């Protein structure tokens, strides 16, 4: 406990310097902005901004800002969900169900403030969980050899598959395809440039940000344009911001449950914020005395999922910070940001860069505070923003993405490369293949191969090494159990339910 | 044998094609042994796995229990214009500089929308030019050719 407090003191000391406060502020404001705007998510934004962090001398500031964008987007997404009935962020899809109905009844203000308060509460709890559980987990990670790391990645990828939307088989295939795309570039062991077709730029591998921009940024724009959507903004009356006492009493238990479930699911690879909000909504509906109210403006349906998605967004940092394994594509970009500054993510970060580690955690709480203080008074500004038509918005997204892609290496090659990935992303969506597992596979590809090679060299080619080492066997066992469970008919049906409505 | 789910059929074919491609291209790299893996080992194994997964997914397209799904049309216009705008930007940046590239990108991309408006697009282009100049060229000092080559010489 004392250790925890002194660590947190170090963290707050780092995060509360004027520079870092500014970066945190910029991060959460940007995050809210893109969270509010449908059609652009944290993934594309962080990919765009990655080059800008090259210039920052302190990697801590860079990570504080990027993290702020991620959880800030969870706040912003709910505003759009409530006022426009469109999810600003994929994790706020369920908020549209009851939040928008509340807005139609003139309770938009209450819905917005409950969402903000729920998010803040969840953010506070998740920050402490992160601070408390990261060190012991990192201890475990120090016992890991190559076999354990390989098995851990298998577990992570399987979890991402299990938690992905849609068909499990397709998600598996997407992971494998991602791993293969990750192979492109120079092989570290032999120095052979693989699948580069004598293109010098390809021998360095494909930039992750390029893949993310193409598949998530550009493909999304094309799909949105096809839909020819029209937006109706519910701005006329936001109503009183303060919820009534009765509303508050109903919302608090939902927030508590949402925070708990969200924190747990956030740690799982591939889960993160999206799954957290969906499952919480389903749970609240089941627990409610009058489930008939859900979908007609039940405040629990706003409070629970909003708390859950923010908690999930934050606890998803636990596996990245302790094991060095990103569990969502957004976190994979954070890993990229760390590597730019020569920090190899993993359990050693806590001891080698304690300021970065604890500073980042403390900044999350500060950022959440910024968000709740800022967001409610600024509602008017966000509403204005929502009236910006998509026809003006998407060319702007394209401009920023193109500039971002170019700045990765000051080379137009990276801009050209976004095009094939945009086409791929578009086709994947049309064929109902979820691209998120592919991105995870893409990031982990080379690492996984490296650990597999090392483990097999040590065991002299005996694959039994993965099951004879107890830690590795446990991890693989968990992965197998997950796969088996998800194929059980009863669970398979539940899984479909949990993801239904999201599309 | 009736195809019920066209999504599954085509994604299966796509995965099989990718798996096959990676296996074929891996042939030029050394395989090595399990204890001493060459650069071709892991991609070949993964390519094979992807091929098998694709086969399984494609097969489910015929399964009676599968839901029916038809392919949605490919949005040629939207894909074409948006991606063309990106290609133009990439091609124009070196010789023509970022100012002209942004204008071209914005106009070609905006034409993809069914609500295209010259006035709005012009305003957006001006706004984006000013913003990009201030943020990227001045603020972050990213290295771009700003004006066309033939003017700056």
């Amino acid at each position: 406990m004392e250790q925890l407090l002194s660590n947190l003191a170090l963290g707050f000391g780092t995060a509360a310097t004027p520079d870092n406060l500014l970066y945190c502020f910029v991060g959460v404001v940007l995050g809210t902005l893109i969270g509010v705007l449908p059609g652009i998510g944290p993934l594309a934004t962080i990919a765009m901004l990655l080059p800008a962090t090259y210039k920052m001398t302190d990697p801590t500031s860079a990570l504080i800002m990027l993290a702020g964008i991620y959880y800030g987007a969870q706040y912003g997404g709910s505003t759009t969900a409530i006022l426009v009935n469109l999810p600003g962020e994929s994790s706020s899809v369920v908020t549209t169900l009851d939040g928008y109905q509340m807005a139609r009844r003139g309770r938009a203000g209450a819905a917005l403030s409950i969402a903000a308060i729920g998010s803040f509460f969840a953010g506070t709890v998740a920050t402490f969980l992160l601070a408390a559980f990261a060190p012991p987990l990192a201890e475990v990670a120090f016992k890991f050899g190559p076999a354990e790391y390989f098995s851990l990645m298998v577990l992570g990828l399987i979890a991402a598959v299990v938690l992905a939307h849609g068909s499990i088989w397709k998600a598996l295939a997407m992971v494998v395809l991602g791993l293969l795309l990750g192979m492109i570039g120079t092989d570290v062991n032999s120095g052979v440039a693989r699948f580069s077709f004598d293109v010098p730029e390809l021998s360095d591998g494909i930039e992750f940000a390029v893949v993310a921009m193409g598949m998530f940024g550009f493909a999304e724009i094309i799909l949105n344009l096809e839909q020819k959507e029209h937006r109706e903004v519910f701005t006329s009356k936001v109503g009183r911001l303060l919820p009534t006492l009765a509303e508050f009493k109903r919302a608090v238990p939902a927030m508590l449950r949402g925070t708990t479930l969200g924190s747990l699911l956030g740690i799982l690879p591939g889960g993160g914020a999206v799954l957290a909000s969906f499952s919480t909504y389903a749970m609240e509906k089941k627990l409610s005395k009058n489930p008939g109210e859900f979908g007609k403006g039940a405040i629990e349906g706003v409070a629970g999922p909003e708390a859950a998605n923010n908690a999930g967004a934050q606890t998803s940092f636990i596996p990245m910070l302790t094991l060095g394994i990103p569990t969502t594509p957004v976190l994979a970009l954070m890993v990229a940001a760390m590597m730019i500054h020569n920090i190899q993510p993993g359990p050693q970060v806590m001891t080698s860069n304690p300021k970065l580690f604890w500073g980042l955690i403390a900044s999350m709480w500060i950022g959440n505070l910024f968000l709740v203080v800022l967001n409610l008074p600024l509602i008017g500004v966000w509403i204005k923003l929502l009236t910006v038509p998509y026809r003006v918005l998407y060319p702007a997204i394209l401009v920023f993405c193109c500039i971002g892609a170019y700045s990765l290496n000051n080379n137009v090659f990276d801009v050209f490369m976004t095009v094939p990935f945009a086409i791929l992303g578009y086709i994947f969506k049309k064929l109902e293949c979820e691209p998120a597992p592919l991105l995870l596979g893409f990031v982990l590809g080379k690492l996984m191969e490296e650990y597999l090679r090392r483990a097999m060299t040590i065991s002299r080619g005996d694959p039994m090494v993965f099951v004879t080492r107890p830690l590795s066997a446990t991890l693989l066992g968990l992965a197998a159990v997950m796969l088996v469970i998800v194929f059980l008919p009863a669970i398979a049906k539940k899984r479909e339910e949990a993801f239904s409505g999201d599309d | 044998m009736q195809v019920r789910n066209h999504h599954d059929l085509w994604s299966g074919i796509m995965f099989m094609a990718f798996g096959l491609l990676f296996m074929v291209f891996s042939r030029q790299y050394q395989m090595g042994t399990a204890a001493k893996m060459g650069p071709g080992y892991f991609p070949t194994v993964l390519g094979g796995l992807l091929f098998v997964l694709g086969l399984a997914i494609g097969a489910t397209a015929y399964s009676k229990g599968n839901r029916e799904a038809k392919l949605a049309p490919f949005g040629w216009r939207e894909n074409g214009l948006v991606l063309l705008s990106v290609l133009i930007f990439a091609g124009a940046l070196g010789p023509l500089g970022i100012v002209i590239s942004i204008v071209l990108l914005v106009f070609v991309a905006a034409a993809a929308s069914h609500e295209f408006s010259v006035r709005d697009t012009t305003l957006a282009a001006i706004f984006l030019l000013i913003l990009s100049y201030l943020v990227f060229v001045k603020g972050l000092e990213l290295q771009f050719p700003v004006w066309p080559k033939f003017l700056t010489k």
Side-chain angles (χ1 to χ4, degrees):
Chain A
M1 192 66 201
E2 246 167 67
Q3 186 71 35
L4 178 66
L5 286 180
S6 72
N7 283 334
L8 280 178
L10 172 73
F12 277 101
T14 313
T17 60
D19 267 6
N20 286 342
L21 279 178
L22 181 71
Y23 283 120
C24 182
F25 182 78
V26 170
V28 296
V29 170
L30 254 177
T32 316
L33 191 88
I34 54 118
V36 167
L37 295 172
I40 177 160
L43 189 65
T45 312
I46 295 176
M48 279 185 309
L49 283 175
L50 208 54
T53 64
Y54 290 170
K55 298 223 66 157
M56 295 188 186
T57 40
D58 186 0
T60 312
S61 311
L63 281 176
I64 284 177
M65 188 177 83
L66 297 180
I69 293 173
Y70 183 38
Y71 57 77
Q74 316 298 332
Y75 273 76
S78 58
T79 309
T80 314
I82 291 166
L83 294 176
V84 201
N85 199 19
L86 261 183
E89 244 6 274
S90 51
S91 56
S92 47
V93 171
V94 285
T95 312
T96 57
L97 301 176
D98 282 286
Y100 184 66
Q101 293 303 323
M102 283 183 75
R104 288 187 53 183
R105 288 195 331 217
R107 302 295 299 146
L112 288 168
S113 49
I114 280 293
I117 297 166
S119 298
F120 176 69
F121 173 75
T124 309
V125 173
T127 304
F128 276 99
L129 285 177
L130 186 49
F133 285 105
L137 251 176
E139 285 295 311
V140 177
F142 276 120
K143 298 199 175 74
F144 279 24
E148 280 76 17
Y149 267 109
F150 179 79
S151 303
L152 180 68
M153 288 180 198
V154 172
L155 173 64
L157 291 175
I158 293 292
V161 164
V162 169
L163 299 173
H165 310 220
S167 152
I168 292 170
W169 291 107
K170 283 184 184 170
L172 262 175
M174 290 293 270
V175 163
V176 177
L177 182 54
L179 290 170
L180 279 168
L181 291 173
M183 298 289 112
I184 296 175
T186 307
D187 170 41
V188 272
N189 278 30
S190 56
V192 176
R194 285 186 290 189
F195 313 111
S196 68
F197 309 103
D198 294 325
V199 179
E201 282 93 348
L202 273 183
S203 62
D204 291 334
I206 300 169
E207 290 278 355
F208 179 70
V210 165
V211 181
M213 274 184 219
M215 278 194 186
F216 280 78
F218 296 174
E220 205 66 41
I221 287 176
I222 297 167
L223 287 160
N224 283 338
L225 285 175
E226 263 183 7
Q227 288 186 350
K228 303 194 187 348
E229 49 143 285
H230 280 283
R231 269 186 226 160
E232 236 177 298
V233 188
F234 229 99
T235 50
S236 45
K237 36 177 199 271
V238 169
R240 230 161 50 96
L241 274 181
L242 274 186
T244 62
L245 195 64
E247 282 173 331
F248 203 69
K249 269 192 182 145
R250 284 174 61 184
V252 168
M255 279 180 206
L256 285 170
R257 287 189 291 262
T259 306
T260 316
L261 192 60
S263 306
L264 285 174
L265 291 175
I267 303 173
L268 294 178
V274 182
L275 185 78
S277 60
F278 274 96
S279 335
T280 306
Y281 189 80
M283 180 179 75
E284 285 303 321
K285 202 170 166 182
K286 200 140 265 172
L287 288 176
S288 170
K289 283 190 200 99
N290 18 3
E293 273 185 36
F294 278 78
K296 299 198 181 81
I299 198 158
E300 297 94 325
V302 176
E306 280 303 317
N309 71 29
N310 203 39
Q314 267 170 275
T315 53
S316 59
F317 278 84
I318 293 180
M320 183 198 96
L321 286 173
T322 54
L323 306 169
I325 298 205
T327 52
T328 67
V330 172
L331 290 171
L333 279 171
M334 306 260 184
V335 169
M338 285 167 93
M339 305 239 244
I340 287 170
H341 290 278
N342 283 324
I343 298 171
Q344 182 66 44
Q348 73 287 347
V349 172
M350 202 179 307
T351 39
S352 62
N353 298 66
K355 275 195 156 177
L356 177 135
F357 186 87
W358 295 104
L360 179 62
I361 291 178
S363 84
M364 289 186 187
W365 189 78
I366 297 176
N368 273 288
L369 191 65
F370 277 146
L371 282 165
V372 82
V373 172
L374 266 177
N375 266 355
L376 294 177
L378 282 184
I379 281 293
V381 177
W382 305 134
I383 290 174
K384 270 264 149 46
L385 205 75
L386 277 173
T387 55
V388 175
Y390 195 65
R391 64 171 186 274
V392 178
L393 191 62
Y394 77 85
I397 300 173
L398 283 170
V399 168
F400 294 138
C401 279
C402 284
I403 291 178
Y406 172 79
S407 324
L408 286 167
N409 298 308
N410 283 336
N411 190 338
V412 286
F413 179 79
D414 290 316
V415 186
F416 279 120
M417 276 309 282
T418 57
V419 172
F421 284 103
I423 298 174
L424 263 184
Y426 178 85
I427 293 174
F428 289 152
K429 275 278 180 188
K430 286 274 154 151
L431 295 177
E432 295 178 329
C433 299
E434 192 58 39
L438 180 141
L439 282 180
L440 277 185
F442 180 77
V443 191
L444 293 180
K446 275 197 176 148
L447 269 179
M448 212 171 163
E449 182 188 28
E450 186 52 32
Y451 284 122
L452 176 68
R453 275 178 169 168
R454 277 195 225 161
M456 293 293 270
T457 307
I458 294 169
S459 74
R460 298 205 186 91
D462 180 11
M464 290 306 282
V465 65
F466 295 105
V467 284
T468 48
R469 290 178 64 110
L471 259 175
S472 164
T474 315
L475 293 167
L476 284 182
L478 276 174
V481 168
M482 280 180 125
L483 265 185
V484 170
I485 287 177
V486 90
F487 278 116
L488 293 178
I491 304 284
K493 202 163 153 268
K494 268 259 151 36
R495 183 173 169 275
E496 244 164 65
E497 271 171 29
F499 285 121
S500 69
D502 172 41
D503 241 302
Chain B
M1 289 274 272
Q2 190 81 37
V3 181
R4 283 182 67 84
N5 192 320
H6 289 264
H7 292 155
D8 288 353
L9 177 68
W10 286 102
S11 32
I13 292 173
M14 176 183 72
F15 290 130
M16 282 163 71
F18 270 119
L20 217 54
L21 270 178
F22 272 101
M23 278 200 288
V24 169
F25 285 121
S26 299
R27 288 179 60 91
Q28 50 182 308
Y29 311 120
Q30 271 185 349
M31 277 294 275
T33 61
K36 212 168 163 3
M37 289 182 194
Y41 197 101
F42 200 48
T44 307
V45 172
L46 288 178
L49 184 60
L50 189 58
F51 184 82
V52 173
L53 282 170
L55 201 64
I57 292 164
T60 61
Y62 298 94
S63 137
K64 287 216 172 64
N66 204 335
R67 80 194 156 81
E68 282 196 56
K70 287 253 180 294
L71 287 189
F74 190 89
W76 288 106
R77 185 189 143 83
E78 290 84 359
N79 268 292
L81 285 171
V82 170
L83 298 178
L84 180 69
S85 73
V86 175
L87 291 176
I88 290 178
F89 177 89
L93 188 62
L96 297 180
I98 192 154
V99 174
I100 293 175
S101 306
I102 287 181
V103 173
L104 289 172
L105 168 67
V106 169
F107 271 91
V108 176
S113 168
H114 68 294
E115 329 172 288
F116 175 66
S117 126
V118 177
R119 194 187 66 107
D120 285 2
T121 310
T122 312
L123 288 177
I126 294 171
F127 174 74
L128 284 169
L129 277 179
I130 297 171
L131 190 73
S132 308
Y133 187 76
L134 290 180
V135 173
F136 297 112
V137 181
K138 287 281 154 202
L140 295 169
E141 292 173 27
L142 299 180
Q143 297 303 310
F144 298 111
V146 178
W147 298 108
K149 252 191 192 143
F150 58 86
L151 283 182
T152 48
K153 252 190 187 161

